[in-house]
């Protein structure tokens, strides 16, 4: 199969699979486009940020009452493409970019494998293997509840999937970097140029402003790979290439400037909501010790030993083989992924969501093992008759196509599990449209992320409370907005205590996660408050929780008491009250009642209630 035909086939296959959910939406549901987008895409909490960025608003508050807030700290390079397309084609941008960016990622990955094996057929086969493994793991997850299979699917999907903006955008930046690294060993010794330096520095700069963990991994890898690739004395090489090294440093520093500006001028409370914490020397020591001990766990040792086995086998059996040399690039990426967290913990004064380091490390190992295994098979079969290779490709390709066809009814079955929710969302969207609640400056109070996005994507500008990633408000302002509305709702103390989990030891309170995300992380490394301020049963959980578990969120008792006092002493600010309220009556808000008679119920569904303030 020619290169163009092989690439076209894998792109068509990927396009077909991506199309399934949109076809299902059209076939099974009579719903508005916004509902399809919100239901079919992931990480929708970034959509208000994308909309704000499309309007050049770097400090969105979604409330006209607040002015002159600090800028947000979220890495914006991962959102720029979406914001530009949103400005041009609005809601259609999320659908179109899902196809364009993921097809681009597959295109780059195909060309990486083609570069390694110098064969479009091999690139096609490897792409099909990746596609097949992910599809089998996803389908298997519907029927088999095995933790390790679910973890493997999560790792692959987190780095090769369609979630916005990671890995849909960041994956493209990463694999572009890897593609140009494949030319590195030849270039570093003989043919460095300003153009090549730009090709390496640009994706690195984009990664720094989109996913700092990938950037740090790639930067450590670049240093390591440079050290092993230079075939002359370092002093001689440095003297010869000094002008290129200086150019690289200046260029990378320029690309890091937006990141530095955000860190310096950004809202500190926003950083806290992202999970940024400052660590002292004692905490660094604890973190390094814990990390090193975690490398002795069985799951890591299995990956590490398998990786070492493949590396030595390939290099011993195939010395001075160009294919093996290129596969070795990914071996050094795995080594870098081990050292990167360690160096980050030692030298960085702050840490943030460090579990990403572990996920990236596991992905690096899994990807290398798949690639090395495929390399071994390819080298074993290199002398196989061309007609037999052709038959193998035909059989394997047919298997993948049949698997895709068989997956359609399975995917359709599980696609319908959220039917009721989508019907209700469509009812609410129709209510907005029928009551001219589009492109207004009215304020909405909602405890539901989907409704928040629906309101914003319908062109409305104001939200009394909004997702923690979306606004540049301080934590005090967010707390006041919440308590101000609840006070006006005239809810009782019992309701308020239920909302903040006052009398129980709930982990990951959904209201606090919505408003503050990772602010209240609690693990063996860090707690927001002193350990004595947590319930006794939570204290034991906290001390036994890995420092990498940023997702463990527990609000301490002294914070809950402070919020109760704020509520009791608060004087209602009429300027921050909502004109409309949409309550999701599940979870913490089950049996939630607004007692203020000024709020009139306009619509009731199974899970939602819409009210208007008269």
């Amino acid at each position: 199969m020619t290169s163009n035909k092989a690439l076209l086939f894998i792109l068509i296959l990927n396009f077909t699979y991506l199309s399934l959910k949109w076809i299902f939406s059209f076939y099974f549901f009579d719903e508005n486009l916004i509902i399809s987008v919100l239901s079919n895409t992931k990480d929708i909490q970034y959509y208000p940020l994308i909309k704000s960025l499309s309007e050049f608003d770097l400090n969105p508050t979604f409330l006209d009452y607040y002015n002159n807030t600090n800028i947000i700290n979220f890495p914006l390079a991962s959102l720029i493409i979406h914001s530009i397309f949103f400005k041009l084609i609005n809601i259609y941008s999320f659908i179109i970019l899902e196809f364009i960016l993921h097809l681009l990622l597959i295109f780059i990955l195909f060309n990486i494998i083609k570069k390694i094996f110098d064969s479009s057929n091999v690139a096609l086969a490897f792409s099909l293997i990746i596609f097949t493994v992910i599809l089998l793991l996803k389908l298997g997850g519907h029927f088999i509840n095995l933790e390790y299979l679910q973890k493997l699917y999560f790792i692959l999907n987190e780095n090769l999937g369609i979630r916005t903006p990671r890995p849909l955008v960041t994956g493209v930046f990463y694999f572009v970097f890897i593609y140009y690294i494949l030319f590195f060993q030849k270039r570093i010794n003989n043919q460095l140029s300003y153009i090549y330096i730009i090709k390496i520095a640009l994706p690195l700069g984009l990664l720094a402003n989109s996913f700092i963990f990938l950037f740090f991994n790639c930067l450590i890898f670049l240093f390591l790979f440079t050290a092993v690739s230079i075939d002359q004395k370092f002093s001689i090489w440095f003297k010869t290439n000094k002008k290129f090294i200086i150019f690289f440093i200046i260029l990378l520093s320029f690309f890091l400037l937006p990141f530095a500006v955000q860190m310096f001028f950004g809202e500190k409370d926003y950083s806290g909501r992202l999970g940024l914490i400052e660590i002292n020397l004692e905490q660094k020591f604890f973190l390094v010790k814990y990390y090193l001990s975690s490398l002795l766990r069985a799951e890591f040792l299995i990956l590490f030993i398998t990786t070492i086995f493949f590396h030595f086998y390939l290099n011993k059996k195939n010395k001075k083989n160009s294919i093996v040399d290129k596969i070795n690039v990914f071996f050094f990426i795995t080594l870098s992924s081990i050292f990167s967290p360690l160096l980050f913990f030692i030298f960085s004064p702050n840490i943030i969501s460090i579990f990403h380091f572990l996920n990236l490390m596991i992905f690096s190992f899994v990807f290398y093992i798949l690639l090395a295994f495929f390399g071994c098979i390819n080298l074993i079969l290199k002398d196989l008759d061309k007609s037999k290779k052709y038959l193998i490709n035909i059989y394997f390709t047919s298997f993948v196509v049949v698997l895709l066809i068989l997956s359609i009814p399975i995917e359709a079955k599980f696609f319908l599990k959220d039917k009721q929710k989508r019907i209700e969302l469509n009812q609410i969207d129709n209510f907005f449209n029928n009551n001219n609640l589009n492109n207004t400056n009215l304020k909405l109070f909602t405890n539901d992320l989907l409704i928040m996005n629906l309101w914003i994507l319908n062109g409305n500008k104001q939200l009394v409370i909004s997702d923690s990633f979306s606004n540049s408000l301080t934590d005090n302002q967010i707390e006041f907005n919440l308590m101000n509305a609840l006070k006006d709702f005239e809810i009782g103390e019992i309701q308020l205590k239920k909302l903040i989990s006052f009398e129980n030891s709930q982990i990951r309170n959904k209201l606090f996660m919505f408003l503050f995300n990772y602010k209240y992380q609690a693990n063996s490394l860090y707690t927001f408050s002193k350990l004595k301020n947590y319930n006794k049963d939570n204290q034991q959980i906290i001390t036994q929780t890995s420092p990498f578990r940023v997702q463990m969120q527990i609000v301490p008792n002294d914070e809950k008491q402070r919020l109760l006092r704020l509520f009791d002493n608060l004087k209602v600010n009429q300027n921050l009250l909502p004109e409309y309220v949409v309550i999701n009556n599940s979870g913490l808000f089950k049996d939630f009642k607004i007692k203020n008679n000024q709020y009139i119920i306009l619509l009731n569904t199974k899970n939602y209630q819409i009210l208007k303030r008269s």
Side-chain angles (χ1 to χ4, degrees):
M1 188 179 290
T2 65
S3 177
N4 289 338
K5 288 183 179 179
L7 178 58
L8 182 62
F9 177 78
I10 190 65
L11 291 179
I12 290 175
L13 190 69
N14 189 64
F15 181 87
T16 302
Y17 184 70
L18 292 178
S19 300
L20 287 180
K21 62 184 178 182
W22 302 106
I23 295 172
F24 292 158
S25 288
F26 177 78
Y27 183 78
F28 291 118
F29 301 108
D30 179 22
E31 63 186 13
N32 298 326
L33 180 62
I34 293 180
I35 304 302
S36 292
V37 170
L38 293 177
S39 301
N40 290 335
T41 55
K42 297 181 178 180
D43 272 16
I44 63 172
Q45 63 262 46
Y46 299 118
Y47 290 180
L49 269 182
I50 290 170
K51 187 175 185 297
S52 298
L53 188 58
S54 73
E55 298 166 351
F56 302 103
D57 184 2
L58 297 180
N59 56 339
T61 62
F62 300 101
L63 283 168
D64 291 343
Y65 182 81
Y66 295 105
N67 297 309
N68 301 320
T69 57
N70 294 322
I71 62 173
I72 58 171
N73 303 43
F74 192 84
L76 297 178
S78 59
L79 303 178
I80 288 176
I81 297 172
H82 279 83
S83 65
I84 292 172
F85 272 72
F86 186 85
K87 188 71 173 179
L88 296 174
I89 54 176
N90 205 282
I91 193 69
Y92 296 96
S93 60
F94 298 111
I95 302 174
I96 293 172
L97 282 177
E98 182 173 283
F99 282 96
I100 291 176
L101 291 173
H102 200 257
L103 291 174
L104 179 59
L105 190 151
I106 298 298
F107 171 81
I108 297 167
L109 182 61
F110 178 91
N111 279 283
I112 288 173
I113 306 304
K114 181 185 173 184
K115 175 67 179 175
I116 294 172
F117 294 99
D118 194 26
S119 169
S120 57
N121 285 327
V122 174
L124 172 63
F126 184 81
S127 301
L128 290 175
I129 284 177
I130 292 289
F131 179 87
T132 305
V133 169
I134 294 176
L135 182 56
L136 284 173
L137 288 170
K138 181 180 181 181
L139 295 177
H142 291 318
F143 305 101
I144 305 172
N145 187 22
L146 290 178
E147 182 182 358
Y148 285 107
L149 290 181
Q150 291 176 347
K151 282 185 177 180
L152 183 56
Y153 170 73
F154 172 80
I155 291 297
L156 290 174
N157 196 52
E158 277 283 292
N159 293 276
L160 296 169
I162 55 175
R163 197 157 61 96
T164 303
R166 178 178 54 83
L168 192 61
V169 178
T170 57
V172 172
F173 299 157
Y174 175 67
F175 283 107
V176 166
F177 172 78
I178 296 300
Y179 176 78
Y180 286 116
I181 282 294
L182 293 176
F183 301 87
F184 188 75
Q185 285 181 310
K186 181 179 179 181
R187 292 275 187 173
I188 191 103
N189 290 301
N190 304 303
Q191 301 177 15
L192 275 181
S193 66
Y194 291 114
I195 296 298
Y196 183 72
I197 295 297
I198 293 173
K199 290 177 179 178
I200 294 294
L202 178 58
L204 271 178
L206 290 171
L207 283 173
N209 290 281
S210 59
F211 195 37
I212 191 66
F213 309 96
L214 259 180
F215 164 74
F216 201 75
N217 272 9
C218 290
L219 190 62
I220 298 301
F221 159 74
L222 189 59
F223 289 142
L224 176 63
F225 199 51
T226 299
V228 300
S229 298
I230 297 173
D231 60 4
Q232 54 188 302
K233 286 186 177 180
F234 179 78
S235 58
I236 298 174
W237 174 83
F238 181 82
K239 185 176 180 180
T240 305
N241 296 281
K242 184 167 62 175
K243 59 182 180 180
F244 296 117
I245 296 171
I246 294 173
F247 178 69
F248 173 78
I249 293 172
I250 293 173
L251 194 60
L252 190 59
S253 299
F254 173 76
F255 289 138
L256 288 173
L257 190 59
F259 175 82
V261 169
Q262 281 187 286
M263 292 301 101
F264 188 78
F265 293 104
E267 174 54 53
K268 302 303 180 185
D269 285 350
Y270 187 93
S271 298
R273 299 197 290 270
L274 291 179
L276 184 73
I277 60 173
E278 184 178 343
I279 55 174
N280 57 35
L281 189 61
E282 182 181 352
Q283 289 172 308
K284 285 177 180 288
F285 180 77
F286 172 79
L287 193 55
V288 169
K289 183 180 177 181
Y290 189 95
Y291 173 69
L292 292 175
S293 65
S294 69
L295 298 182
L296 299 176
R297 293 180 179 177
E299 53 265 36
F300 173 78
L301 290 177
I302 291 171
L303 290 173
F304 183 74
I305 293 170
T306 305
T307 296
I308 295 297
F309 168 79
F310 275 119
H311 179 69
F312 279 103
Y313 176 82
L314 284 171
N315 285 272
K316 185 176 181 180
K317 295 288 185 180
N318 304 276
K319 291 182 178 179
K320 296 183 179 180
N321 184 298
S322 62
I323 292 176
V324 174
D325 287 343
K326 293 184 180 70
I327 292 176
N328 285 343
V329 170
F330 294 87
F331 175 74
F332 287 110
I333 291 175
T334 63
L335 292 184
S336 302
S337 71
I338 298 174
F339 294 123
S340 295
L342 195 61
L343 295 171
F344 188 83
F345 301 154
I346 293 172
F347 293 108
S348 175
N350 303 298
I351 59 171
I352 180 171
S353 303
I354 53 178
F355 66 93
H356 288 304
F357 274 124
L358 296 187
N359 291 340
L360 290 173
M361 181 172 64
I362 295 172
F363 173 72
S364 298
F365 276 94
V366 170
F367 191 86
Y368 172 79
I369 290 169
L370 287 173
L371 183 61
F373 175 76
F374 198 75
C376 291
I377 298 298
N378 183 72
L379 291 169
I380 292 171
L381 300 178
K382 64 181 178 180
D383 297 323
L384 196 66
D385 183 79
K386 287 186 177 180
S387 61
K388 292 182 179 179
K389 286 184 178 180
Y390 179 76
L391 284 175
I392 291 174
N393 282 335
I394 290 294
Y395 289 142
F396 183 61
T397 303
S398 300
F399 167 76
V400 175
V401 172
V402 171
L403 177 65
L404 177 59
I405 294 172
L406 291 176
S407 73
I408 293 176
I410 300 174
E411 294 276 19
K413 177 183 177 181
F414 287 94
F415 184 83
L416 290 171
K417 68 180 181 179
D418 293 328
K419 182 177 180 179
Q420 176 61 36
K421 181 175 71 176
R422 294 174 76 137
I423 291 174
E424 290 184 70
L425 287 174
N426 208 58
Q427 285 180 270
I428 294 171
D429 192 40
N430 288 334
F431 175 88
F432 288 167
N433 292 326
N434 294 336
N435 289 274
N436 297 316
L437 295 177
N438 300 302
N439 303 304
T440 75
N441 206 37
L442 300 173
K443 292 184 287 295
L444 173 75
F445 178 98
T446 183
N447 63 327
D448 188 276
L449 182 63
L450 283 164
I451 302 301
M452 166 189 155
N453 275 274
L454 185 61
W455 182 258
I456 294 297
L457 292 177
N458 268 303
N460 301 297
K461 299 183 182 301
Q462 299 207 75
L463 289 161
V464 173
I465 58 173
S466 53
D467 179 76
S468 59
F469 281 163
S470 302
N471 67 78
S472 61
L473 298 173
T474 66
D475 290 345
N476 287 338
Q477 289 169 334
I478 293 172
E479 290 171 0
F480 183 87
N481 297 343
L482 171 66
M483 294 301 173
N484 187 67
L486 294 178
K487 187 97 172 187
D488 190 61
F489 293 164
E490 297 179 5
I491 70 168
E493 183 177 314
I494 294 176
Q495 275 193 322
L496 178 60
K497 286 185 174 181
K498 179 183 178 182
L499 293 180
I500 64 174
S501 306
F502 184 78
E503 295 173 344
N504 60 50
S505 55
Q506 185 181 32
I507 296 172
R508 291 177 65 86
N509 175 295
K510 287 188 176 181
L511 180 61
F512 284 110
M513 289 296 297
F514 177 57
L515 296 175
F516 303 110
N517 200 42
Y518 292 150
K519 174 182 177 178
Y520 293 110
Q521 59 184 289
N523 52 52
S524 54
L525 175 72
Y526 171 87
T527 53
F528 180 84
S529 185
K530 292 181 180 179
L531 192 61
K532 66 179 182 180
N533 292 321
Y534 295 83
N535 293 347
K536 287 191 179 295
D537 51 348
N538 279 340
Q539 291 179 20
Q540 184 175 1
I541 293 172
I542 291 169
T543 55
Q544 294 176 353
T545 298
S546 165
F548 296 98
R549 287 288 305 276
V550 180
Q551 300 93 332
M552 178 69 77
Q553 300 288 310
I554 306 176
V555 182
N557 294 330
D558 56 333
E559 275 291 282
K560 296 176 184 178
Q561 291 166 353
R562 182 181 63 81
L563 290 173
L564 286 179
R565 290 194 299 270
L566 172 63
F567 181 82
D568 289 339
N569 298 325
L570 184 143
K571 183 179 179 181
V572 173
N573 184 334
Q574 299 290 326
N575 296 314
L576 289 171
L577 296 178
E579 283 82 17
Y580 283 87
V581 177
V582 181
I583 294 293
N584 183 329
N585 289 313
S586 62
L588 293 169
F589 281 81
K590 186 178 180 181
D591 302 321
F592 181 81
K593 300 294 183 183
I594 294 179
K595 298 177 181 179
N596 187 338
N597 292 329
Q598 287 185 294
Y599 291 92
I600 302 168
I601 298 175
L602 301 180
L603 179 68
N604 266 319
T605 69
K606 181 179 179 181
N607 294 298
Y608 292 96
Q609 186 177 76
I610 299 180
L611 304 95
K612 180 180 179 180
R613 194 172 193 274
S614 59

